[in-house]
């Protein structure tokens, strides 16, 4: 890689081969066996975000098919595909495509499979049977309990656990040294704490911090703060003070400045009300979450986001006045 | 308190009413015979013509000039048999008090709905022949079937549409008095769209001036899509805010020819200007949010649901106000409509960026949007500029997308990208050596100004020129 190329470090330092994956050793050992036997069942990778599920799937394909493995692997993300029909079309087309020279199957990686409805999963199960002669599915999910039994029973199950502190910190150190950046040891600990074992998030925080200067604990905190639109918190607090009109101006500012969609804003609000930066009673957090969920559902159903969020802010101002008064 | 322009600039004298000379002389002749104690053959007049040409204004000017007592009933008042009996019938028999004659004005008789105003027209037919006080009725469309018996009892007075130039000169006059910058082209645009409806034109003018501070062709052509001739948005809003019964509020909404989304955007922005009590406000916006939900259901094919949309917008908002008084604020153009175009571009950028990154990083676009994107923005807006430029280049973001990600820093990053392109072929190493020294200074700067603004632009520009 030449010195004038700069990539996101999560891309640059993604392990390419199973042997490069330093943690989750019991998992990689089992996967390597499949590589040696040149055969595998359908797989279900379950575990929290940033623990290496997608990486392991790619590494497995890499080790099976070599560097040009991408042509024998179809990657789909259930959160982004527009329903089971588009998935079916893509799978159908892919199943017809060229087969690898000495391995009898191709791989379909379906990421975030737990975001599929159970009806869609039923259809998926039929797809898995229909094309089982020429393809193997790897399903990745945060919550395996959301995957229907009929699919679970057809897959070999792999549970990815949250990364240990030393694994994350060592990896961060490795990257920091490669990138020749200045850092304080303590800052890496902080990054681990903040990212809650999510390697991807940890690396993003490291990279953003490094761009701003010497990676110190203070800097890390600042970067994480900056990465969260502060206006969302201001908006909630302003509304809770009973100031609806000002809160709605903030809402529109956030949407303009960050180009957030209604659903984006709902997610940010959710994060804030369950976070520690906002000082409200625990009971109120639950009430807000309940109402917010309704708002989220309505927006997802296709109703007008500006109107739904306005109603939410009006509700917040009312609650704020009632509880404050 | 601000007074809406249509009230502020309402004609004060009969002479102020423009372009209705024939109507004026017809009305005044009729009125003079009343004043001289000779009751005319036809005891009532029906003024008809398109909305906003001055029917009501002329009557009000006459009342002022001749010092009459005015009893006015308009669309939002009760107009059923018993209501009319209670008010009009009594007034029609009232003896002049201190020689002041009472003039009865009933606006929009063509709006008397057969359903809501049960018997209203029949009652009028009984009253008119026996009245001892002059009665004036107005209508946009006097040829409706339900008005036939009424037409035989009254003298018909026609009001003409205003010409384009007349409308423009009224608007220009208001601009001068309000000291607002108005382009003639913009006024012409408003006048053309109003199709002779002066009230509509003034409302448009005011709402644009209010929302934007000036009236230019660009703004006007963007904001005003074409005025609905039967009931415009402002009338819809007023109709809902001032309705006394559910059916009135609902009718205001169903009569509007604006599309539902626009209508809801207007209510969404104007309810908070009218409802000061926080419970009222919540109830109203909650009702609106459910209207939006029902609209969605209707649009997915279940058109029966549309009726509930009207219920929840109209009466839903009207009767949400239980605690507070209606505030005197003026209506404003929805912020929403102004920012829509801007927002659309930004979201397209976000989607494209998410598409690129999701593919490269093997993750979902949703994750990129909800999580990663913020870190990229921090890197590109506040981070080391050389790295930021390199990163921008590596992912092939287009101009709009880069503008979104880099914010104020777009030009600097663009310049840096150019430098990278040149630097690669020539003396790449030397340049980067010089930079790496500067890097340390710059990091220093960026830490100090941290959080407030992106690093000092002017300073870094100078440095680049030097290093070049």
């Amino acid at each position: 890689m030449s010195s004038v190329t700069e990539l996101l470090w999560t891309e640059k330092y993604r392990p390419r081969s199973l042997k490069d994956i330093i943690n989750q050793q019991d998992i990689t050992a089992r996967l390597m066996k499949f590589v040696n036997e040149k055969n595998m069942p359908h797989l279900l990778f379950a575990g929290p975000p940033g623990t290496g599920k997608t990486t392991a799937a790619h590494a497995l394909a890499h080790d099976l098919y070599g560097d040009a493995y991408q042509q024998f692997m179809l990657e789909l993300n259930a959160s982004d595909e527009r329903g089971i029909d588009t998935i079916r079309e893509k799978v159908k087309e892919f199943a017809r495509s060229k087969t690898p020279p000495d391995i009898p199957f191709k791989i379909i990686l379906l990421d975030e499979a737990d975001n599929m409805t159970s009806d869609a999963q039923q259809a998926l199960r039929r797809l898995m049977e229909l094309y089982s002669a020429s393809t193997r599915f790897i399903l990745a999910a945060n919550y395996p309990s959301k995957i229907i039994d009929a699919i679970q029973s057809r897959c070999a199950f792999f549970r990815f656990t949250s990364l240990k502190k030393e694994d994350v910190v060592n990896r961060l150190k490795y990257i920091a040294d490669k990138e020749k950046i200045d850092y304080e040891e303590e800052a890496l600990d902080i990054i681990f704490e903040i990212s809650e074992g999510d390697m991807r998030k940890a690396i993003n925080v490291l990279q953003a911090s490094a761009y701003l200067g010497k990676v110190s604990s203070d800097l890390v905190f600042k970067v994480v703060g900056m990465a969260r639109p502060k206006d969302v918190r201001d908006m909630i607090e302003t509304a809770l003070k009973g100031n609806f009109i000002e809160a709605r101006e903030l809402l529109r500012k956030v949407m303009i400045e960050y180009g957030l969609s209604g659903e984006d804003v709902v997610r940010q609000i959710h994060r804030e009300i369950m976070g520690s930066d906002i000082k409200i009673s625990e009971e109120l957090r639950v009430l807000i979450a309940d109402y917010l969920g309704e708002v989220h559902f309505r927006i997802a159903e296709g109703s007008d986001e500006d109107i739904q969020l306005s109603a939410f802010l009006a509700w917040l101002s009312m609650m704020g006045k009632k509880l404050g008064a | 308190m601000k007074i809406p322009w249509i009230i502020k600039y309402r004609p004060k004298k009969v002479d102020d009413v423009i372009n209705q000379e024939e109507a004026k002389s017809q009305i005044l002749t009729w009125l003079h015979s009343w004043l001289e104690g000779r009751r005319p053959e036809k005891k009532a007049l029906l003024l008809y013509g398109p909305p906003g040409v001055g029917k009501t204004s002329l009557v009000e000017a006459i009342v002022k000039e001749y010092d009459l007592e005015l009893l006015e009933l308009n669309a939002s008042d009760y107009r059923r048999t018993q209501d009319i009996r209670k008010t009009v019938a009594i007034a029609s028999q009232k003896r002049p008090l201190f020689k002041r004659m009472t003039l009865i004005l009933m606006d929009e008789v063509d709006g008397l709905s057969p359903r809501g105003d049960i018997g209203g027209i029949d009652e009028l037919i009984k009253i008119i022949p026996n009245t001892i006080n002059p009665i004036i009725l107005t209508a946009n469309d006097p040829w409706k079937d339900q008005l036939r018996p009424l037409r035989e009892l009254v003298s018909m007075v026609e009001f003409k549409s205003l010409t384009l130039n007349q409308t423009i000169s009224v608007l220009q006059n208001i601009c001068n008095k309000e000291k607002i910058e108005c382009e003639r082209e913009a006024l012409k645009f408003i006048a053309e769209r109003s199709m002779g409806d002066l009230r509509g034109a003034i409302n448009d003018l005011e709402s644009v001036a209010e929302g934007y501070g000036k009236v230019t062709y660009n703004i006007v052509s963007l904001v005003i899509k074409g005025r609905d001739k039967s009931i415009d948005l402002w009338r819809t809003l007023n109709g809902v805010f001032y309705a006394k019964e559910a059916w009135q509020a609902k009718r205001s909404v169903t009569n509007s020819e604006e599309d539902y989304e626009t209508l809801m955007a207007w209510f969404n922005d104007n309810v908070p200007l009218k409802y000061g009590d926080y419970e009222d406000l919540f109830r109203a916006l909650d009702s609106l949010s459910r209207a939006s939900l029902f609209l969605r259901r209707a649009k997915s094919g279940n058109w029966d649901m549309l009726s509930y949309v009207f219920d929840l917008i109209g009466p839903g908002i009207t009767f949400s106000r239980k605690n507070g008084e209606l505030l005197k604020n003026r209506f404003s153009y929805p912020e929403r409509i102004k920012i829509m175009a801007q927002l659309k571009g930004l979201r397209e950028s976000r989607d494209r960026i998410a598409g690129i990154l999701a593919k490269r990083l093997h993750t979902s676009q949703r994750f990129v949007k909800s999580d990663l994107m913020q870190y990229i923005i921090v890197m590109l807006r506040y981070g080391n500029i050389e790295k930021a430029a390199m990163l921008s280049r590596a992912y092939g973001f287009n101009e709009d997308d880069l503008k979104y990600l880099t914010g104020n820093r777009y030009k600097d990053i663009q310049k840096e990208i150019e430098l990278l392109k040149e630097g690669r072929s020539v003396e790449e190493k030397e340049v980067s050596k010089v930079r790496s020294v500067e890097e340390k200074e710059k990091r220093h700067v960026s830490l100090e100004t941290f959080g407030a603004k992106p690093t000092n632009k002017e300073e870094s520009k100078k440095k680049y020129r030097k290093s070049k």
Side-chain angles (χ1 to χ4, degrees):
Chain A
M1 237 165 255
S2 100
S3 67
V4 283
T5 310
E6 179 75 9
L7 292 172
L8 287 171
W9 295 350
T10 43
E11 178 177 3
K12 192 169 171 183
Y13 293 100
R14 179 191 284 280
R16 306 286 154 188
S17 163
L18 287 172
K19 64 182 187 310
D20 298 335
I21 299 178
I22 43 166
N23 39 43
Q24 318 283 11
Q25 240 107 42
D26 44 339
I27 290 177
T28 50
R30 279 169 70 195
L31 294 178
M32 279 175 189
K33 241 195 222 159
F34 297 147
V35 176
N36 293 337
E37 291 164 4
K38 293 193 161 97
N39 195 13
M40 63 178 238
H42 298 307
L43 312 179
L44 174 57
F45 291 177
T51 49
K53 299 183 296 294
T54 313
T55 297
H58 278 270
L60 172 65
H62 171 273
D63 292 356
L64 273 170
Y65 309 121
D67 281 338
Y69 74 90
Q70 298 269 15
Q71 55 181 317
F72 303 120
M73 181 175 190
L74 172 67
E75 188 178 7
L76 298 169
N77 195 298
S79 309
D80 295 338
E81 299 300 333
R82 253 172 276 128
I84 188 70
D85 288 336
T86 50
I87 290 179
R88 183 183 293 124
E89 281 310 305
K90 286 183 179 174
V91 168
K92 212 160 112 187
E93 207 169 292
F94 176 70
R96 275 206 300 260
S97 70
K98 198 169 75 163
T99 42
D102 53 350
I103 293 165
F105 59 86
K106 291 171 286 190
I107 290 179
I108 295 170
L109 168 61
L110 185 57
D111 223 334
E112 303 190 20
D114 47 349
N115 277 333
M116 295 172 86
T117 63
S118 48
D119 283 350
Q121 290 188 36
Q122 289 293 352
L124 176 66
R125 185 196 58 143
R126 283 194 287 279
L127 280 183
M128 291 168 78
E129 278 163 6
L130 203 57
Y131 296 103
S132 61
S134 60
T135 61
R136 296 291 180 276
F137 278 77
I138 302 177
L139 308 183
N142 290 339
Y143 304 102
S145 57
K146 292 206 291 190
I147 302 289
I148 58 172
D149 290 344
I151 288 184
Q152 290 210 28
S153 71
R154 284 170 173 76
C155 294
F157 188 88
F158 291 80
R159 182 179 292 282
F160 286 66
T161 49
S162 278
L163 300 187
K164 286 185 295 243
K165 182 174 174 181
E166 63 207 65
D167 287 339
V168 174
V169 171
N170 282 339
R171 189 70 181 163
L172 293 179
K173 255 185 213 163
Y174 170 79
I175 294 173
D177 291 340
K178 281 264 181 191
E179 293 288 332
K180 301 189 180 60
I181 60 169
D182 265 350
Y183 66 92
E184 287 169 6
E185 297 265 342
E186 192 196 30
L188 302 187
D189 293 350
I190 300 288
I191 294 180
F192 169 78
E193 299 293 337
I194 289 169
S195 55
E196 296 165 327
D198 179 341
M199 180 74 95
R200 181 163 49 182
K201 186 168 180 191
I203 296 174
N204 285 331
V205 173
L206 179 69
Q207 186 173 14
S209 307
Y211 275 27
L212 289 170
K214 181 175 181 183
V215 182
S216 64
S217 310
D218 283 351
L219 183 56
V220 168
F221 280 124
K222 275 179 189 158
V223 165
V224 172
M226 287 167 90
R228 215 165 13 166
K230 188 177 163 296
D231 293 329
V232 171
R233 196 184 320 147
D234 288 349
M235 174 185 82
I236 298 170
E237 281 167 351
T238 307
L240 284 172
K241 277 182 204 139
N243 201 336
F244 170 81
I245 290 186
E246 220 175 284
R248 189 158 74 179
E249 276 165 15
L250 283 169
L251 166 69
R252 283 164 176 167
K253 185 170 159 236
V254 167
M255 292 177 100
I256 282 281
E257 229 160 76
Y258 297 91
L260 298 186
S261 70
E263 286 198 67
D264 293 337
V265 174
V266 167
R267 286 200 189 89
Q268 300 283 359
I269 294 173
H270 190 216
R271 213 172 280 181
E272 291 293 344
I273 57 156
M274 286 300 158
S276 56
D277 291 325
I278 286 193
K279 305 286 176 249
I280 47 175
S281 75
E282 306 308 306
E283 189 194 354
L284 185 55
R285 288 181 208 274
V286 178
L287 288 175
I288 297 176
D290 187 3
Y291 195 92
L292 189 65
E294 177 65 24
V295 169
H296 194 157
F297 181 66
R298 290 176 178 187
I299 294 176
E301 248 189 295
S303 72
D304 187 285
E305 56 194 31
D306 195 43
I307 288 174
Q308 299 303 339
L309 285 167
S310 292
F312 172 74
L313 291 179
W315 180 81
L316 268 192
S317 343
M318 183 177 72
M319 294 306 281
K321 282 261 185 182
K322 273 189 180 165
L323 298 173
Chain B
M1 170 197 155
K2 284 180 170 177
I3 309 165
W5 291 357
I6 47 161
I7 294 174
K8 193 169 171 187
Y9 294 103
R10 189 163 259 193
K12 309 267 183 312
K13 299 188 304 258
V14 176
D15 276 351
D16 293 344
V17 178
I18 51 172
N19 195 39
Q20 309 294 358
E21 299 314 319
E22 278 171 42
K24 272 186 215 169
S25 74
Q26 209 182 331
I27 298 171
L28 289 178
T29 313
W30 173 81
L31 187 73
H32 277 289
S33 53
W34 277 102
L35 291 170
E36 286 156 15
R38 298 178 281 112
R39 287 184 202 156
E41 187 200 340
K42 299 277 167 96
K43 308 235 164 36
L45 297 182
L46 175 57
L47 318 187
Y48 68 95
V53 294
K55 298 185 290 295
T56 311
S57 296
L58 181 57
V59 174
E60 286 174 351
I62 288 173
V63 163
K64 228 177 251 167
E65 233 173 284
Y66 288 81
D67 193 26
L68 308 174
E69 193 95 30
L70 178 69
L71 176 84
E72 187 177 358
L73 281 98
N74 62 37
S76 49
D77 297 318
Y78 302 84
R79 303 205 290 190
R80 290 168 305 186
T81 311
Q82 66 262 42
D83 303 321
I84 288 178
R85 220 174 265 153
K86 252 187 261 165
T87 52
V88 183
I90 292 171
S92 74
Q93 298 305 322
K94 191 171 139 193
R95 298 280 156 195
L97 191 65
F98 307 119
K99 288 194 177 166
R100 271 176 103 198
M101 184 179 274
T102 301
L103 176 70
I104 298 161
L105 172 63
M106 257 192 101
D107 251 337
E108 301 171 40
V109 286
D110 50 342
L112 286 174
S113 96
R115 189 163 36 102
D117 309 308
I118 303 158
I121 290 173
D122 292 346
E123 194 60 28
L124 278 179
I125 289 167
K126 274 189 227 155
I127 292 170
I128 290 174
N130 303 315
T131 179
I132 61 164
N133 287 315
I135 295 178
I136 294 183
L137 314 171
T138 76
N140 296 141
D141 175 10
W143 311 115
K144 279 191 179 169
D145 242 17
Q146 72 207 55
L147 297 182
R148 196 191 309 143
L150 204 55
R151 284 200 296 270
E152 289 162 11
L153 282 177
V154 301
S155 282
M156 307 277 286
V157 181
E158 184 186 0
F159 278 64
K160 288 179 293 189
S161 271
L162 267 63
T163 67
L164 195 59
N165 282 334
Q166 284 166 339
T167 310
I168 294 176
S169 74
V170 173
L171 298 181
Q172 186 63 59
N173 207 0
I174 293 177
C175 286
N176 296 345
K177 285 189 180 142
E178 293 288 328
K179 296 193 176 60
I180 280 167
E181 180 195 336
C182 298
E183 289 177 5
R184 191 167 168 86
E185 278 306 296
L187 300 185
K188 190 173 167 222
F189 186 92
I190 293 176
E192 274 170 2
R193 289 309 173 107
S194 73
M195 295 177 68
D197 174 355
L198 188 59
R199 175 175 42 210
I202 294 176
N203 272 339
D204 278 348
L205 180 72
E206 181 184 10
S207 53
V208 174
E210 177 88 340
Y212 299 87
K214 58 183 174 184
V215 183
T216 67
Y217 180 78
N218 284 342
I219 297 174
V220 168
S221 58
L222 199 76
V223 170
I224 301 173
K225 273 197 250 140
R227 160 161 297 284
D228 158 24
K229 255 54 85 216
S230 61
I231 281 205
D232 60 52
L233 278 165
W234 290 37
R235 276 171 80 186
T236 308
L237 292 177
N238 267 325
V240 169
F241 284 127
Y242 291 97
K244 296 196 178 75
E245 292 185 13
W247 64 268
Q248 294 170 323
K250 183 162 181 171
R251 198 178 65 181
S252 294
V253 176
T254 49
N255 277 357
S256 171
E257 285 174 20
E258 271 301 337
D259 62 85
Y260 315 120
E261 280 86 358
T262 308
L263 211 53
M264 289 201 279
W266 274 81
F267 277 107
N268 193 29
D269 269 42
N270 282 296
V271 167
L273 297 178
K274 288 300 205 183
Y275 290 6
D277 179 86
Y278 51 89
E279 281 183 4
D280 291 350
L281 179 62
F282 166 68
R283 274 192 292 267
L285 290 186
D286 186 51
S287 185
L288 193 62
S289 75
R290 274 176 289 127
S292 163
L293 197 59
F294 276 105
L295 178 61
R296 177 64 215 160
R297 289 170 183 164
K299 284 197 158 180
S300 57
N302 211 340
W303 287 105
D304 285 349
M305 297 297 115
L306 204 53
S307 183
Y308 304 107
V309 175
F310 302 138
D311 296 340
L312 288 167
I313 298 180
I317 288 177
T318 310
F319 301 103
S320 288
R321 187 170 61 81
K322 291 184 192 164
N323 305 343
E325 291 294 310
L326 263 188
L327 300 180
K328 301 284 187 200
N329 293 317
R330 294 191 337 198
F331 296 135
S332 82
Y333 249 91
E335 195 74 15
R336 169 70 182 292
I337 293 174
K338 292 189 225 165
I339 64 179
M340 203 110 83
Q342 213 178 337
L343 211 51
K344 192 165 163 268
L346 285 176
R347 285 189 185 161
E348 283 166 1
S349 281
R350 269 173 76 82
D351 287 344
R352 268 195 307 269
I353 295 165
I356 294 173
L357 293 177
K359 220 176 170 117
R360 292 279 288 263
L361 299 171
H362 308 293
T363 179
S364 66
Q365 298 184 17
R366 210 175 68 178
F367 169 79
V368 175
K369 280 195 257 185
S370 72
D371 226 292
L372 178 63
M373 186 101 61
Q374 292 311 316
Y375 287 100
I376 309 238
I377 286 176
V378 172
M379 292 179 208
L380 299 191
R381 290 192 189 176
Y382 307 109
N384 173 311
I385 191 153
E386 194 187 1
K387 297 262 187 200
M390 280 157 69
L391 198 61
S392 307
R393 208 166 57 129
Y395 290 94
F397 299 125
N398 75 18
E399 193 183 318
D400 285 345
D401 301 354
L402 204 54
K403 272 183 186 157
Y404 166 67
L405 288 172
T406 55
N408 294 337
R409 226 188 184 186
Y410 172 71
K411 281 192 182 138
D412 296 339
I413 298 256
Q414 204 44 300
K415 213 173 281 172
E416 187 69 25
I417 291 177
E418 291 304 315
L419 277 174
L420 283 174
K421 280 183 195 158
E422 294 163 22
R424 199 143 66 140
S425 46
V426 210
E427 334 156 320
E428 177 192 330
K429 277 169 197 163
E430 277 184 43
V431 175
S432 65
K433 213 186 283 169
V434 176
R435 284 224 192 93
S436 71
V437 177
E438 277 173 13
E439 220 66 85
K440 279 178 192 158
E441 295 170 41
K442 232 181 300 150
R443 276 184 188 165
H444 204 65
V445 173
S446 67
L447 258 180
E448 279 178 350
T449 57
F450 199 72
K453 267 180 210 156
T455 51
N456 194 327
K457 269 195 281 178
E458 281 309 310
E459 205 172 302
S460 49
K461 263 186 217 162
K462 269 181 229 156
K463 277 183 190 167
Y464 287 109
R465 266 182 228 123
K466 250 189 270 166
S467 74
K468 208 177 170 185

